[in-house]
Amino acid sequence: MTLPRLATIAAVVAVLYLGKEVLLPLAIAMLLTFALSPLVTLFRKRGLPMTASVLIVVFLASGMMAVFSLVVASQLSSLARDLPRFQDNILIKLETLKEQGGEGSLIARITDMAGAINAEIGAAIPAEPAGTPAAETPIPVEVVERLSPLDTLTSLVMPLISPVATTGLVIVVVIFMLLEREELRDRFIRLIGAHDLHRTTAMLEEAGSRVGRYLLVQLLVNIIYALPIGVGLWLIGVPNAVLWGLLTLVLRFVPYIGSILSAAFPLFLAFAVSREWSAVLWTAALFIAVETVTSNLIEPWLYGSRTGVSPLAIIISAILWTWIWGPLGLVMSTPLTVCLVVLGRHVPQFELFGILFGDEPVLEPHAHLYQRWLAGDAVESTYRAEEALEEEYLSDYYRNTALPALLLAQTDWSRGVLSTVQETRLAVTALQMVQDLRPYVAEERDENRPDATEAPVVAPGRVVVLGGRGALDDVAAAILAQVLAVEGAEAEAHGHADLAPARLAHLDLPDCRCVILNFLDPSPPRSALLHVRRLKRNHPHLRVGVVIWSLPESTQTGENVAWGLRADAGKLAEAEAIGADFAVTWLEPALLGAVSSEPPRPLPPRDTKLARSLTRRKGGADPAPQG
């Protein structure tokens, strides 16, 4: 992230913080417009004019919010009158806990603190003893500054007018935003991306659908959540059950902690309303049961698509928006962050938000696997592989993810940015992952694959797969051996160190049918390819193949070619000239060459300086180079 971009973000946050009084009502109006737009569209489809549709929808929404506010206000007033009645029950329960926990326990300290608070409250309301003359009671004296009638009216009316005026402003803005939706959309397109109408239109549609769907579905989920809570609290006997049901409906808009906040107040009242503990236990059980059913059944069923924001980003955005705009920012944090994520996906200048807050992977699977190999994390590498194998076959995973990750590692090694220590750690981690995936070979070997083409006929005999030069080649050999085993071949993998003459004898090659050398280097040296001639000279019955791994042309892009992942065609021809029975670059041709029942090619004659000099002495032309 560049310094100018950080400065721009800091400036935007400062503007949002300082312009709270102006920007917060506009943000509320924008989100309400997103939420009410589908209803306006529904009325429009019924044949009503635009103005009538907007006014009906806004009137219904405003009426529901007004009724909600009146009910909450009346319930709060009733609760304030009833609270003094619960004071004795709280102290009795705390004293009981204090006796059970001992004098030095945490409950004892909490009880003493509660008793001190109760004494302070009692002292704040002095009772006049019987028989005390009124003249002996001290009379408090206060100096009151005389205010003009206008100042008095202002101090009384302004606290009431301010929220009412803000609410009215929001309603008016919502009405005009709904009336001029198309005009605002066109202006936004002209401002952001008139040169790319397709991308801008997709961004607006995605933002509107995600935010509108989130708000409406979340409202429906909250209603389904709040109804059993309110009825259950009423049956348990918790005072003002209607109030707690309504507050639960609102607090559930707060991500993650909304359910906890909605349960805290009823639990406290259940603790205070009775001298027994049954009300507290029933209230806790009610919230746990409703939360479990809602989170595991109702929400997955109603949410057809995700918000597109990662869980951690929701928490972080809740903290940031609460700091910027207070409690209303906490409630609005998720839809506001959704808008930023959608903006980041479609507008390059805002890509930062899509990367930081989005829930989609920012690395390709093969790049992520390569990074985990570099870190030496075999556990997560295996876990991610097993997760992918829930949806694809082992050979498909190796073809689409593991082999491209190896090619990426080879490219870094060729460029000199991968140290020997890193290469060794990467190879050990990758081999450990391949070893951990061995159980899937047995599972898939006899599995019916209706969507796959007919498997090649496997010739009898063992297939030995060897690394060509380095540790990365050994990983490719292990992968190819597992894919061959899935196809039904008797395959085993060995490292490049087993190509040494002293160790080659331990491979029991007389009982082997085919040997395959693996190279990730797109241009392996001739000295490495000459292992083909040595193997065929010592074991004429062997079919020897060479795989110089390279992405197929159908999957190559400009980025892949820039990596240097294209095999050297001259090296393939050189391997065949040396004597290889087949020289290929990818998985499927390697499988076909390994399972083929064709006899081995005879070893071609060596092209040496002595042979060329003898030809010249006889007056003939130089023989065609063959290796």
Side-chain angles (χ1 to χ4, degrees):
M1 186 184 299
T2 60
L3 187 60
R5 181 173 293 185
L6 284 175
T8 302
I9 294 175
V12 171
V13 171
V15 170
L16 292 174
Y17 182 81
L18 297 176
K20 171 184 175 181
E21 299 298 330
V22 176
L23 298 177
L24 182 56
L26 293 178
I28 296 174
M30 181 189 69
L31 294 180
L32 289 177
T33 302
F34 277 124
L36 298 179
S37 291
L39 297 178
V40 174
T41 303
L42 181 62
F43 280 107
R44 289 282 291 158
K45 290 181 179 179
R46 298 292 182 181
L48 290 178
M50 173 62 80
T51 303
S53 301
V54 169
L55 293 179
I56 291 174
V57 170
V58 173
F59 176 78
L60 292 176
S62 302
M64 293 175 60
M65 288 189 290
V67 171
F68 178 88
S69 301
L70 289 176
V71 173
V72 170
S74 63
Q75 290 289 312
L76 286 175
S77 177
S78 174
L79 177 63
R81 292 193 303 268
D82 295 339
L83 276 179
R85 295 192 295 107
F86 308 140
Q87 190 174 3
D88 293 336
N89 293 334
I90 297 174
L91 293 179
I92 291 174
K93 284 186 177 179
L94 291 177
E95 287 294 338
T96 303
L97 292 175
K98 180 179 179 181
E99 293 175 0
Q100 295 176 353
E103 291 295 331
S105 64
L106 176 62
I107 297 296
R109 291 194 291 269
I110 294 176
T111 304
D112 294 338
M113 181 180 67
I117 295 174
N118 184 48
E120 292 292 337
I121 295 175
I125 309 175
E128 183 177 340
T132 303
E136 296 180 2
T137 303
I139 301 175
V141 178
E142 297 181 3
V143 178
V144 180
E145 182 180 357
R146 183 178 298 276
L147 299 175
S148 64
L150 181 60
D151 293 337
T152 304
L153 182 63
T154 302
S155 62
L156 292 175
V157 174
M158 286 305 296
L160 299 176
I161 290 181
S162 179
V164 174
T166 302
T167 303
L169 176 63
V170 169
I171 293 174
V172 171
V173 174
V174 169
I175 292 174
F176 280 95
M177 280 188 173
L178 289 172
L179 288 174
E180 300 185 7
R181 281 187 305 167
E182 290 78 6
E183 184 67 22
L184 291 174
R185 179 197 60 205
D186 294 343
R187 292 180 182 276
F188 185 79
I189 290 175
R190 178 66 180 85
L191 182 65
I192 297 296
H195 60 284
D196 194 352
L197 292 176
H198 174 74
R199 175 180 295 180
T200 309
T201 303
M203 177 188 67
L204 292 176
E205 290 179 354
E206 183 179 354
S209 61
R210 282 187 183 272
V211 176
R213 182 180 179 84
Y214 167 78
L215 293 174
L216 291 178
V217 174
Q218 187 65 49
L219 177 61
L220 179 59
V221 171
N222 292 359
I223 292 174
I224 296 174
Y225 187 97
L227 281 176
I229 291 294
V231 174
L233 292 177
W234 176 72
L235 294 175
I236 293 171
V238 177
N240 305 97
V242 176
L243 171 65
W244 307 124
L246 294 175
L247 288 182
T248 298
L249 189 151
V250 175
L251 289 174
R252 278 275 300 176
F253 278 101
V254 179
Y256 297 109
I257 64 173
S259 300
I260 300 175
L261 294 177
S262 64
F265 300 106
L267 284 172
F268 173 76
L269 278 183
F271 178 81
V273 74
S274 172
R275 298 185 179 184
E276 299 178 355
W277 291 92
S278 59
V280 177
L281 297 178
W282 279 110
T283 302
L286 173 66
F287 274 93
I288 292 174
V290 174
E291 178 65 28
T292 301
V293 173
T294 303
S295 300
N296 295 283
L297 295 178
I298 297 176
E299 286 185 340
W301 175 52
L302 289 178
Y303 280 106
S305 59
R306 301 170 296 176
T307 59
V309 183
S310 67
L312 179 61
I314 290 177
I315 297 175
I316 295 175
S317 66
I319 296 173
L320 292 176
W321 287 112
T322 304
W323 171 64
I324 295 174
W325 283 348
L328 285 176
L330 176 61
V331 176
M332 299 165 56
S333 60
T334 299
L336 288 174
T337 307
V338 169
C339 293
L340 290 178
V341 170
V342 173
L343 197 64
R345 287 176 179 170
H346 296 279
V347 181
Q349 292 81 356
F350 296 93
E351 184 182 9
L352 171 68
F353 299 109
I355 295 175
L356 293 180
F357 297 143
D359 62 348
E360 296 181 354
V362 295
L363 292 178
E364 293 293 331
H366 68 278
H368 183 273
L369 180 62
Y370 172 48
Q371 194 275 330
R372 289 293 84 203
W373 285 349
L374 277 176
D377 191 348
V379 175
E380 185 177 347
S381 301
T382 303
Y383 171 76
R384 290 297 185 103
E386 291 176 340
E387 191 177 52
L389 291 176
E390 294 292 329
E391 301 179 358
E392 58 183 343
Y393 291 102
L394 183 64
S395 57
D396 297 330
Y397 176 75
Y398 283 146
R399 179 192 303 107
N400 301 328
T401 305
L403 288 173
L406 276 177
L407 290 171
L408 193 57
Q410 176 63 40
T411 302
D412 284 349
W413 171 256
S414 301
R415 293 191 300 123
V417 297
L418 194 67
S419 65
T420 304
V421 175
Q422 288 177 316
E423 183 206 19
T424 303
R425 182 172 58 196
L426 185 150
V428 170
T429 306
L431 286 173
Q432 181 62 50
M433 187 200 79
V434 174
Q435 181 72 18
D436 292 339
L437 297 181
R438 286 186 63 183
Y440 290 91
V441 175
E443 291 181 11
E444 296 185 10
R445 178 177 296 169
D446 300 325
E447 185 178 351
N448 185 21
R449 299 176 60 178
D451 59 334
T453 58
E454 185 177 352
V457 178
V458 180
R462 289 188 307 123
V463 178
V464 174
V465 188
L466 290 162
R469 293 185 65 207
L472 298 180
D473 299 335
D474 297 345
V475 180
I479 290 175
L480 179 57
Q482 278 198 2
V483 176
L484 283 168
V486 170
E487 297 296 334
E490 184 185 353
E492 56 186 62
H494 295 275
H496 67 285
D498 288 334
L499 283 171
R503 302 182 62 171
L504 199 60
H506 298 288
L507 298 182
D508 197 15
L509 293 182
D511 293 337
C512 181
R513 177 178 52 83
C514 181
V515 173
I516 304 176
L517 301 179
N518 291 262
F519 299 95
L520 286 169
D521 187 350
S523 299
R526 181 180 176 84
S527 59
L529 296 177
L530 285 176
H531 287 300
V532 173
R533 181 179 291 276
R534 182 160 58 90
L535 288 168
K536 292 184 75 69
R537 184 191 308 114
N538 296 334
H539 306 280
H541 69 285
L542 279 180
R543 280 176 51 83
V544 180
V546 173
V547 184
I548 302 177
W549 292 98
S550 172
L551 288 179
E553 293 184 3
S554 60
T555 62
Q556 286 185 355
T557 63
E559 182 182 4
N560 293 336
V561 173
W563 287 350
L565 301 182
R566 180 175 295 173
D568 187 350
K571 289 296 179 178
L572 295 174
E574 183 178 4
E576 292 183 348
I578 288 175
D581 292 277
F582 59 91
V584 296
T585 61
W586 197 236
L587 192 60
E588 284 76 13
L591 294 178
L592 292 174
V595 303
S596 174
S597 57
E598 295 182 2
R601 290 174 52 199
L603 188 65
R606 296 178 62 186
D607 178 22
T608 63
K609 293 182 179 179
L610 179 59
R612 288 195 296 270
S613 63
L614 291 176
T615 303
R616 292 193 187 96
R617 289 177 184 176
K618 294 179 181 180
D622 287 346
Q626 300 184 26

